[in-house]
């Protein structure tokens, strides 16, 4: 028997209530903050990710789904949403619009990770990006928007972690100091961190292995090495968050899993997971658009994983509105009544009434059992008598009451508000 590939899963109908709930909250949040939808393809030129997100991160080095198409072009399944948004911003000349351009997306992303709860090979991200503005007020607004999103979903048990990782000018100096610190402990580092020490020292701070975390605890803090501009920027972000009443925790060891970030980085973590599984993360990426071939363009954004959000909604046992279902089921006896039933179903749907029509050769009793299992409010039953008199038998499935109604009046009756 075939199964969905490892690290992927089907979203069954009963699960879709959660997905719809989250997607609708995301769309109304974006409307509130003036973000417009953008959809990008599920695959891109591999270079969109490999040349920008930069080697040395697990996402690019180990987790990308890269393949050649039949023409030999190297493509990659979308590993994250930000680089494709920047590519689209450049391709469609969105830099000519008044800046910042504010865009959001909801869609799948693919990473070859070791699957576990909340970590999949296909996951879905809701993300928003503000392109073309360096103002720290926008960083604070993006963080506030992320918080607003989780609160609007009914998730309140989370912490916002905040850090600044500086810019092209001040980070190299910090990385040197960091390298020196770690060089004293090379024999204690895990194999991955030994590579990080050479290729991407900032990621040393993010290692989850206990001996490496111990070394990180005494590592120099980047805040002490920021240049004047980065320092001012970071202070302003914190000031704006303060006036908006957004609680946050400064975390000098917070670095992100992607390499394009500059200055502000932040993550949203559920309170009770001990900060292991981020619900979302984001930050500023002032060099990415230039790396993709555009003019230097500052930008900031955020993305959250829908699967993790839904896991948390379930954990908190939040009441999610059920998906709307048809209220009406049409049942019939014999072929002639079936023909009339088909006509009636079609007319009712044209009138905007959702209908499930019985099909196949089930007995009337079988059809009613089906209506019951679908939790239908009303069954309309057509037999020989009803057809000849142009009537319909209406059965209230909850009370079991039945009455005969002329066919022409049925739509009006069903549309009446019920007590
Ligand atoms: P990211 O932190 O790599 O950032 O992913 C964003 C969110 O996607 C994570 O916080 C997590 O909730 C979810 N996520 C990531 N990987 C998985 C996985 N394997 N399984 C389930 N959920 C996952 C980005 O991708 C950046 N593009 C965010 C951003 C937007 N930065 C600026 N703008």
């Amino acid at each position: 028997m075939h199964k969905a590939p490892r690290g992927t899963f089907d979203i069954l109908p009963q699960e879709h209530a959660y997905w719809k709930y989250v997607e609708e909250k995301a769309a109304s949040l974006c409307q509130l903050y003036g973000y417009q939808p953008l959809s990008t393809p599920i695959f891109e030129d591999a270079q969109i990710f490999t040349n920008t997100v930069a080697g040395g991160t697990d996402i690019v080095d180990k987790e990308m789904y890269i393949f050649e198409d039949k023409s030999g072009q190297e493509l990659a399944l979308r590993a994250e949403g930000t680089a494709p948004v920047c590519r689209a911003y450049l391709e469609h000349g969105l830099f000519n619009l008044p800046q910042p351009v504010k865009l959001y997306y909801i869609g799948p992303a693919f990473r070859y990770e070791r699957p576990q709860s909340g970590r999949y090979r296909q996951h879905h991200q809701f993300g928003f990006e503000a392109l073309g503005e360096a103002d720290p007020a926008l960083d604070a607004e993006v963080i506030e928007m992320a918080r607003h999103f989780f609160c609007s979903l009914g998730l309140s048990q989370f912490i916002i972690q905040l850090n600044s990782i500086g810019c092209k000018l001040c980070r190299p100096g910090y990385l040197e100091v960091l390298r020196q610190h770690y060089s004293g402990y090379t024999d204690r580092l895990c194999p991955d961190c030994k590579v990080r020490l050479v290729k991407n020292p900032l990621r040393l701070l993010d290692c989850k292995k206990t001996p490496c975390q111990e070394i990180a605890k005494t590592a120099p803090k980047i805040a002490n090495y920021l240049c004047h501009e980065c320092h001012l920027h970071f202070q302003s972000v914190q000031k704006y968050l303060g006036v908006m009443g957004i609680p946050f925790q400064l975390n000098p060891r917070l670095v992100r899993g992607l390499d394009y970030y500059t200055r502000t980085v932040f993550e949203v973590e559920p309170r009770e997971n001990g900060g292991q599984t981020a619900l979302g993360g984001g930050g500023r990426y002032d060099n990415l658009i230039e790396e993709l071939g555009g003019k230097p363009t500052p930008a900031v954004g955020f993305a959250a994983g829908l699967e993790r959000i839904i896991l948390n909604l379930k954990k908190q046992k939040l009441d999610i509105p059920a998906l709307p279902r048809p209220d009406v089921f049409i049942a019939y006896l014999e072929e002639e009544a079936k023909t009339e039933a088909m006509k009636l179903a079609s007319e009712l749907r044209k009138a905007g009434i959702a209908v499930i029509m019985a099909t196949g050769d089930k007995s009337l009793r079988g059809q009613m059992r089906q209506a019951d299992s679908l939790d239908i409010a009303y069954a309309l039953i057509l037999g020989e008598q009803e057809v000849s008199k142009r009537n319909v038998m209406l059965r209230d499935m909850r009370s079991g009451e039945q009455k005969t109604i002329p066919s022409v009046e049925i739509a009006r009756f069903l549309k009446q508000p019920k007590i």
Side-chain angles (χ1 to χ4, degrees):
M1 184 134 71
H2 291 295
K3 286 185 163 182
R6 194 164 131 74
T8 72
F9 58 86
D10 302 310
I11 305 168
L12 295 173
Q14 63 270 25
E15 286 291 303
H16 269 281
Y18 286 97
W19 288 79
K20 182 167 183 271
Y21 175 69
V22 177
E23 286 170 11
E24 284 181 358
K25 292 284 183 201
S28 57
L29 176 90
C30 288
Q31 205 258 327
L32 202 60
Y33 284 79
Y35 283 68
Q36 293 198 304
L38 171 77
S39 301
T40 63
I42 248 166
F43 56 84
E44 295 273 352
D45 269 348
Q47 290 188 347
I48 296 291
F49 303 104
T50 53
N51 281 7
T52 55
V53 186
T57 64
D58 285 354
I59 294 173
V60 173
D61 285 358
K62 301 186 189 157
E63 296 171 4
M64 293 260 293
Y65 282 87
I66 297 189
F67 59 98
E68 267 187 19
D69 71 5
K70 290 191 197 313
S71 73
Q73 191 184 354
E74 197 174 66
L75 298 170
L77 293 186
R78 180 168 62 205
E80 60 98 41
T82 308
V85 167
C86 294
R87 193 265 307 136
Y89 173 84
L90 290 173
E91 182 174 340
H92 303 287
L94 304 184
F95 44 82
N96 291 318
L97 300 174
Q99 306 290 300
V101 172
K102 295 181 169 178
L103 301 165
Y104 80 92
Y105 49 89
I106 301 177
F110 305 86
R111 298 178 186 179
Y112 189 79
E113 298 205 70
R114 202 158 58 81
Q116 51 188 282
S117 173
R119 191 173 296 284
Y120 311 100
R121 291 187 175 165
Q122 172 178 281
H123 70 279
H124 294 74
Q125 289 193 0
F126 158 50
F128 44 88
E129 317 286 349
L131 309 148
E133 177 61 78
D135 188 343
L138 200 55
D139 306 40
E141 190 186 89
V142 162
I143 297 171
E144 190 234 352
M145 188 169 162
R147 177 172 193 269
H148 195 145
F149 175 55
F150 292 113
C151 292
S152 74
L153 288 166
L155 295 174
S156 52
Q157 299 300 311
F158 61 83
I159 299 167
I160 298 172
Q161 308 249 15
L162 180 69
N163 194 16
S164 170
I165 56 166
C167 67
K168 269 196 237 174
L169 296 179
C170 55
R171 201 183 307 153
Y174 172 68
L175 294 184
E176 203 34 59
V177 183
L178 194 63
R179 246 193 216 113
Q180 276 168 19
H181 171 77
Y182 274 84
S183 299
Y185 301 100
T186 37
D187 48 335
R188 284 207 247 151
L189 290 177
C190 74
D192 279 345
C193 279
K194 285 193 174 123
V195 178
R196 288 178 187 132
L197 184 58
V198 182
K199 279 180 83 173
N200 191 351
L202 202 58
R203 298 281 304 153
L204 288 163
L205 295 172
D206 197 32
C207 184
K208 302 286 181 286
K209 307 249 164 52
T210 315
C212 303
Q213 284 195 341
E214 284 304 312
I215 305 167
K217 276 187 192 157
T218 53
K221 295 189 167 74
I222 192 161
N224 300 330
Y225 295 84
L226 295 178
C227 61
H228 185 58
E229 284 70 24
C230 286
H231 174 76
L232 287 182
H233 187 96
F234 195 33
Q235 292 303 313
S236 300
V237 173
Q238 294 177 60
K239 181 186 76 187
Y240 292 129
L241 289 174
V243 296
M244 289 189 289
I246 309 299
F248 61 90
Q249 258 178 19
L250 288 179
N251 177 355
R253 291 199 292 276
L254 177 70
V255 294
R256 303 268 301 124
L258 295 150
D259 248 11
Y260 46 60
Y261 292 101
T262 49
R263 296 188 168 170
T264 311
V265 288
F266 71 103
E267 269 181 11
V268 180
E269 282 164 5
R271 223 171 258 280
E272 61 194 54
N273 271 11
Q276 289 298 313
T277 331
L279 284 168
R284 183 161 275 290
Y285 47 95
D286 290 345
N287 303 326
L288 180 56
I289 293 172
E290 192 180 359
E291 281 178 22
L292 281 165
K295 293 205 182 98
T297 310
V300 57
F302 170 79
L306 267 64
E307 287 80 0
R308 290 189 190 173
I309 291 172
I310 290 170
L311 279 174
N312 278 275
L313 290 173
K314 288 181 179 170
K315 218 186 279 172
Q316 290 199 16
K317 298 198 166 54
L318 282 172
D319 243 349
I320 304 299
L323 293 183
R325 310 174 121 263
D327 273 341
V328 179
F329 183 88
I330 303 186
Y332 54 84
L333 275 160
E334 310 298 342
E335 188 56 36
E336 196 192 334
K338 180 177 181 179
T339 313
E340 278 306 306
M342 287 292 286
K343 196 169 135 211
L344 178 63
S346 166
E347 282 167 6
L348 290 180
R349 289 178 186 133
K350 273 185 211 140
I353 296 165
V355 168
I356 293 180
M357 166 78 197
T359 44
D361 53 7
K362 280 191 207 80
S363 65
L364 185 59
R365 184 194 278 242
Q367 295 176 49
M368 295 322 263
R369 263 204 301 271
Q370 186 186 353
D372 246 345
S373 72
L374 291 167
D375 198 22
I376 291 278
Y378 297 103
L380 304 179
I381 305 163
L382 286 129
E384 204 183 321
Q385 252 195 10
E386 284 78 20
V387 172
S388 67
K389 296 194 173 148
R390 299 186 187 286
N391 285 335
V392 172
M393 171 83 80
L394 179 131
R395 181 182 171 89
D396 183 322
M397 296 296 288
R398 305 225 160 101
S399 67
E401 252 175 67
Q402 296 199 158
K403 59 179 161 191
T404 302
I405 300 185
S407 305
V408 288
E409 284 173 27
I410 195 75
R412 193 155 48 89
F413 173 85
L414 291 169
K415 282 194 152 178
Q416 270 168 20
K418 308 286 181 300
I419 308 152

